Short mmCIF file of all heavy atoms in Angstrom, two decimals:
data_model
loop_
_atom_site.label_atom_id
_atom_site.label_comp_id
_atom_site.label_asym_id
_atom_site.label_seq_id
_atom_site.Cartn_x
_atom_site.Cartn_y
_atom_site.Cartn_z
N VAL A 262 -14.10 20.02 0.62
CA VAL A 262 -13.51 20.68 1.77
C VAL A 262 -12.08 21.14 1.49
O VAL A 262 -11.69 22.25 1.82
CB VAL A 262 -13.53 19.73 3.00
CG1 VAL A 262 -12.73 20.33 4.17
CG2 VAL A 262 -14.96 19.43 3.40
N ILE A 263 -11.30 20.26 0.88
CA ILE A 263 -9.88 20.54 0.61
C ILE A 263 -9.69 21.31 -0.68
O ILE A 263 -10.30 21.00 -1.69
CB ILE A 263 -9.10 19.21 0.55
CG1 ILE A 263 -9.34 18.38 1.81
CG2 ILE A 263 -7.61 19.45 0.30
CD1 ILE A 263 -8.83 19.02 3.06
N GLU A 264 -8.82 22.28 -0.66
CA GLU A 264 -8.50 23.05 -1.86
C GLU A 264 -7.78 22.16 -2.85
O GLU A 264 -6.97 21.28 -2.46
CB GLU A 264 -7.69 24.29 -1.50
CG GLU A 264 -8.48 25.31 -0.72
CD GLU A 264 -7.75 26.64 -0.61
OE1 GLU A 264 -6.64 26.76 -1.17
OE2 GLU A 264 -8.29 27.56 0.05
N GLU A 265 -8.02 22.38 -4.11
CA GLU A 265 -7.48 21.50 -5.15
C GLU A 265 -5.97 21.38 -5.09
O GLU A 265 -5.40 20.30 -5.29
CB GLU A 265 -7.90 22.03 -6.54
CG GLU A 265 -7.84 21.00 -7.65
CD GLU A 265 -8.77 19.84 -7.45
OE1 GLU A 265 -9.89 20.08 -6.95
OE2 GLU A 265 -8.38 18.70 -7.82
N GLU A 266 -5.29 22.48 -4.78
CA GLU A 266 -3.81 22.46 -4.77
C GLU A 266 -3.22 21.61 -3.65
O GLU A 266 -2.06 21.23 -3.70
CB GLU A 266 -3.27 23.89 -4.64
CG GLU A 266 -3.64 24.54 -3.33
CD GLU A 266 -3.16 26.00 -3.24
OE1 GLU A 266 -3.17 26.67 -4.29
OE2 GLU A 266 -2.84 26.44 -2.12
N ASP A 267 -4.04 21.28 -2.64
CA ASP A 267 -3.56 20.49 -1.50
C ASP A 267 -3.89 19.02 -1.60
O ASP A 267 -3.38 18.21 -0.83
CB ASP A 267 -4.13 21.04 -0.19
CG ASP A 267 -3.52 22.37 0.19
OD1 ASP A 267 -2.37 22.65 -0.23
OD2 ASP A 267 -4.19 23.15 0.92
N LYS A 268 -4.79 18.66 -2.53
CA LYS A 268 -5.34 17.32 -2.53
C LYS A 268 -4.28 16.22 -2.74
O LYS A 268 -4.24 15.24 -2.03
CB LYS A 268 -6.45 17.20 -3.57
CG LYS A 268 -7.76 17.83 -3.14
CD LYS A 268 -8.85 17.66 -4.16
CE LYS A 268 -10.16 18.30 -3.67
NZ LYS A 268 -11.25 18.16 -4.69
N GLU A 269 -3.44 16.40 -3.75
CA GLU A 269 -2.47 15.36 -4.07
C GLU A 269 -1.52 15.12 -2.90
O GLU A 269 -1.16 13.99 -2.57
CB GLU A 269 -1.69 15.71 -5.33
CG GLU A 269 -2.57 15.57 -6.58
CD GLU A 269 -1.74 15.71 -7.87
OE1 GLU A 269 -0.51 15.90 -7.77
OE2 GLU A 269 -2.33 15.63 -8.96
N GLU A 270 -1.07 16.21 -2.25
CA GLU A 270 -0.17 16.05 -1.12
C GLU A 270 -0.87 15.34 0.04
O GLU A 270 -0.28 14.45 0.67
CB GLU A 270 0.31 17.42 -0.65
CG GLU A 270 1.31 17.35 0.49
CD GLU A 270 1.83 18.74 0.91
OE1 GLU A 270 1.67 19.68 0.11
OE2 GLU A 270 2.39 18.83 2.02
N ILE A 271 -2.11 15.69 0.30
CA ILE A 271 -2.87 15.05 1.39
C ILE A 271 -3.10 13.55 1.06
O ILE A 271 -2.98 12.69 1.96
CB ILE A 271 -4.20 15.79 1.61
CG1 ILE A 271 -3.94 17.10 2.32
CG2 ILE A 271 -5.18 14.93 2.41
CD1 ILE A 271 -5.15 17.98 2.47
N PHE A 272 -3.45 13.26 -0.19
CA PHE A 272 -3.70 11.85 -0.55
C PHE A 272 -2.40 11.05 -0.43
O PHE A 272 -2.44 9.88 0.01
CB PHE A 272 -4.21 11.79 -1.99
CG PHE A 272 -5.57 12.40 -2.19
CD1 PHE A 272 -6.00 12.79 -3.46
CD2 PHE A 272 -6.42 12.63 -1.10
CE1 PHE A 272 -7.27 13.37 -3.62
CE2 PHE A 272 -7.67 13.16 -1.28
CZ PHE A 272 -8.11 13.56 -2.55
N GLU A 273 -1.29 11.66 -0.78
CA GLU A 273 -0.02 10.92 -0.66
C GLU A 273 0.32 10.65 0.80
O GLU A 273 0.76 9.53 1.16
CB GLU A 273 1.12 11.73 -1.33
CG GLU A 273 2.45 10.98 -1.32
CD GLU A 273 3.51 11.73 -2.09
OE1 GLU A 273 3.30 12.88 -2.51
OE2 GLU A 273 4.60 11.16 -2.26
N ILE A 274 0.11 11.63 1.65
CA ILE A 274 0.36 11.43 3.09
C ILE A 274 -0.52 10.32 3.63
O ILE A 274 -0.06 9.46 4.40
CB ILE A 274 0.10 12.75 3.88
CG1 ILE A 274 1.15 13.80 3.51
CG2 ILE A 274 0.09 12.50 5.35
CD1 ILE A 274 0.90 15.17 4.09
N PHE A 275 -1.78 10.30 3.22
CA PHE A 275 -2.70 9.24 3.68
C PHE A 275 -2.14 7.87 3.34
O PHE A 275 -2.08 6.98 4.20
CB PHE A 275 -4.08 9.44 3.01
CG PHE A 275 -5.09 8.44 3.48
CD1 PHE A 275 -6.02 8.76 4.47
CD2 PHE A 275 -5.18 7.15 2.94
CE1 PHE A 275 -6.96 7.84 4.92
CE2 PHE A 275 -6.10 6.22 3.38
CZ PHE A 275 -6.99 6.57 4.37
N LEU A 276 -1.72 7.67 2.11
CA LEU A 276 -1.22 6.35 1.68
C LEU A 276 0.06 5.99 2.45
O LEU A 276 0.22 4.84 2.87
CB LEU A 276 -0.95 6.35 0.17
CG LEU A 276 -2.18 6.38 -0.73
CD1 LEU A 276 -1.76 6.53 -2.19
CD2 LEU A 276 -3.04 5.14 -0.57
N VAL A 277 0.94 6.94 2.60
CA VAL A 277 2.21 6.69 3.32
C VAL A 277 1.95 6.24 4.74
O VAL A 277 2.56 5.26 5.26
CB VAL A 277 3.11 7.94 3.32
CG1 VAL A 277 4.28 7.80 4.29
CG2 VAL A 277 3.62 8.22 1.91
N LEU A 278 1.04 6.91 5.43
CA LEU A 278 0.72 6.56 6.84
C LEU A 278 -0.09 5.28 6.94
O LEU A 278 0.22 4.43 7.77
CB LEU A 278 -0.03 7.73 7.50
CG LEU A 278 0.78 9.03 7.67
CD1 LEU A 278 -0.11 10.10 8.25
CD2 LEU A 278 1.99 8.80 8.57
N TYR A 279 -1.09 5.12 6.08
CA TYR A 279 -1.96 3.95 6.19
C TYR A 279 -1.19 2.66 5.92
O TYR A 279 -1.33 1.68 6.63
CB TYR A 279 -3.15 4.07 5.23
CG TYR A 279 -4.27 3.09 5.53
CD1 TYR A 279 -5.37 3.53 6.24
CD2 TYR A 279 -4.19 1.76 5.13
CE1 TYR A 279 -6.40 2.62 6.56
CE2 TYR A 279 -5.20 0.86 5.46
CZ TYR A 279 -6.32 1.33 6.16
OH TYR A 279 -7.30 0.43 6.48
N ILE A 280 -0.37 2.69 4.87
CA ILE A 280 0.41 1.45 4.54
C ILE A 280 1.38 1.14 5.67
O ILE A 280 1.52 -0.03 6.05
CB ILE A 280 1.14 1.67 3.21
CG1 ILE A 280 0.12 1.65 2.05
CG2 ILE A 280 2.18 0.57 2.98
CD1 ILE A 280 0.71 1.97 0.68
N GLN A 281 2.02 2.16 6.20
CA GLN A 281 2.97 1.90 7.30
C GLN A 281 2.24 1.42 8.57
O GLN A 281 2.80 0.61 9.32
CB GLN A 281 3.81 3.14 7.60
CG GLN A 281 4.79 3.45 6.48
CD GLN A 281 5.91 4.35 6.91
OE1 GLN A 281 6.94 3.90 7.40
NE2 GLN A 281 5.72 5.66 6.71
N LYS A 282 1.04 1.88 8.77
CA LYS A 282 0.26 1.40 9.91
C LYS A 282 -0.05 -0.09 9.77
O LYS A 282 0.14 -0.87 10.69
CB LYS A 282 -1.04 2.20 10.02
CG LYS A 282 -1.91 1.83 11.24
CD LYS A 282 -3.02 0.85 10.91
CE LYS A 282 -4.06 1.43 10.00
NZ LYS A 282 -5.19 0.49 9.77
N ASN A 283 -0.48 -0.46 8.57
CA ASN A 283 -0.80 -1.88 8.34
C ASN A 283 0.43 -2.78 8.41
O ASN A 283 0.34 -3.95 8.77
CB ASN A 283 -1.50 -2.04 6.98
CG ASN A 283 -2.99 -1.89 7.07
OD1 ASN A 283 -3.50 -1.27 8.00
ND2 ASN A 283 -3.72 -2.44 6.12
N LEU A 284 1.58 -2.23 8.01
CA LEU A 284 2.83 -2.99 8.06
C LEU A 284 3.48 -2.99 9.43
O LEU A 284 4.54 -3.55 9.64
CB LEU A 284 3.82 -2.42 7.03
CG LEU A 284 3.44 -2.54 5.56
CD1 LEU A 284 4.49 -1.87 4.68
CD2 LEU A 284 3.22 -3.97 5.13
N GLU A 285 2.80 -2.27 10.37
CA GLU A 285 3.28 -2.12 11.75
C GLU A 285 4.65 -1.41 11.80
O GLU A 285 5.50 -1.69 12.65
CB GLU A 285 3.35 -3.49 12.47
CG GLU A 285 1.99 -4.15 12.60
CD GLU A 285 2.01 -5.44 13.41
OE1 GLU A 285 3.12 -5.94 13.69
OE2 GLU A 285 0.94 -5.93 13.75
N GLU A 286 4.84 -0.50 10.88
CA GLU A 286 6.04 0.36 10.86
C GLU A 286 5.86 1.51 11.84
O GLU A 286 6.84 2.04 12.36
CB GLU A 286 6.30 0.89 9.46
CG GLU A 286 6.93 -0.09 8.51
CD GLU A 286 8.44 -0.28 8.74
OE1 GLU A 286 9.06 0.64 9.34
OE2 GLU A 286 8.97 -1.32 8.36
N ILE A 287 4.61 1.94 12.01
CA ILE A 287 4.36 3.08 12.90
C ILE A 287 3.27 2.73 13.89
O ILE A 287 2.50 1.76 13.71
CB ILE A 287 3.92 4.32 12.08
CG1 ILE A 287 2.60 4.06 11.32
CG2 ILE A 287 5.02 4.75 11.13
CD1 ILE A 287 2.04 5.29 10.64
N HIS A 288 3.22 3.52 14.96
CA HIS A 288 2.21 3.36 16.01
C HIS A 288 1.57 4.71 16.30
O HIS A 288 2.13 5.76 15.94
CB HIS A 288 2.83 2.76 17.27
CG HIS A 288 3.47 1.42 17.05
ND1 HIS A 288 4.79 1.29 16.65
CD2 HIS A 288 2.95 0.15 17.07
CE1 HIS A 288 5.08 0.03 16.49
NE2 HIS A 288 3.98 -0.70 16.73
N LYS A 289 0.48 4.68 16.97
CA LYS A 289 -0.30 5.90 17.23
C LYS A 289 0.49 6.95 17.97
O LYS A 289 0.28 8.16 17.79
CB LYS A 289 -1.57 5.54 18.00
CG LYS A 289 -2.52 6.71 18.20
CD LYS A 289 -3.77 6.28 18.96
CE LYS A 289 -4.68 7.49 19.21
NZ LYS A 289 -5.87 7.09 19.99
N THR A 290 1.43 6.51 18.83
CA THR A 290 2.17 7.46 19.65
C THR A 290 3.36 8.09 18.91
O THR A 290 3.99 8.98 19.44
CB THR A 290 2.70 6.75 20.91
OG1 THR A 290 3.42 5.57 20.53
CG2 THR A 290 1.52 6.33 21.82
N ASP A 291 3.69 7.62 17.71
CA ASP A 291 4.81 8.17 16.97
C ASP A 291 4.49 9.61 16.51
O ASP A 291 3.33 9.94 16.26
CB ASP A 291 5.12 7.31 15.74
CG ASP A 291 5.72 5.98 16.10
OD1 ASP A 291 6.44 5.91 17.11
OD2 ASP A 291 5.43 4.97 15.40
N ASP A 292 5.52 10.41 16.39
CA ASP A 292 5.35 11.79 15.95
C ASP A 292 5.17 11.81 14.43
O ASP A 292 6.01 11.32 13.68
CB ASP A 292 6.59 12.61 16.33
CG ASP A 292 6.49 14.04 15.83
OD1 ASP A 292 5.62 14.79 16.35
OD2 ASP A 292 7.25 14.41 14.92
N VAL A 293 4.06 12.38 14.00
CA VAL A 293 3.73 12.31 12.58
C VAL A 293 4.75 13.06 11.71
O VAL A 293 5.06 12.65 10.59
CB VAL A 293 2.29 12.85 12.33
CG1 VAL A 293 2.20 14.34 12.58
CG2 VAL A 293 1.82 12.53 10.93
N GLU A 294 5.31 14.16 12.22
CA GLU A 294 6.31 14.89 11.45
C GLU A 294 7.57 14.07 11.27
O GLU A 294 8.19 14.09 10.20
CB GLU A 294 6.61 16.22 12.15
CG GLU A 294 5.53 17.24 12.00
CD GLU A 294 5.85 18.55 12.71
OE1 GLU A 294 6.94 18.66 13.28
OE2 GLU A 294 5.01 19.47 12.68
N SER A 295 7.94 13.34 12.31
CA SER A 295 9.13 12.47 12.21
C SER A 295 8.87 11.35 11.21
O SER A 295 9.74 11.02 10.38
CB SER A 295 9.48 11.91 13.57
OG SER A 295 10.61 11.08 13.51
#
Side-chain angles (χ1 to χ4, degrees):
V262 172
I263 304 297
E264 292 191 2
E265 200 63 37
E266 65 183 32
D267 289 334
K268 284 182 178 178
E269 288 189 1
E270 183 178 343
I271 287 175
F272 294 160
E273 185 175 6
I274 291 173
F275 183 98
L276 289 174
V277 168
L278 293 176
Y279 195 99
I280 289 174
Q281 291 199 87
K282 183 263 294 185
N283 271 23
L284 296 177
E285 297 185 349
E286 282 282 337
I287 62 173
H288 301 89
K289 185 180 177 182
T290 54
D291 291 326
D292 178 68
V293 69
E294 286 179 1
S295 180

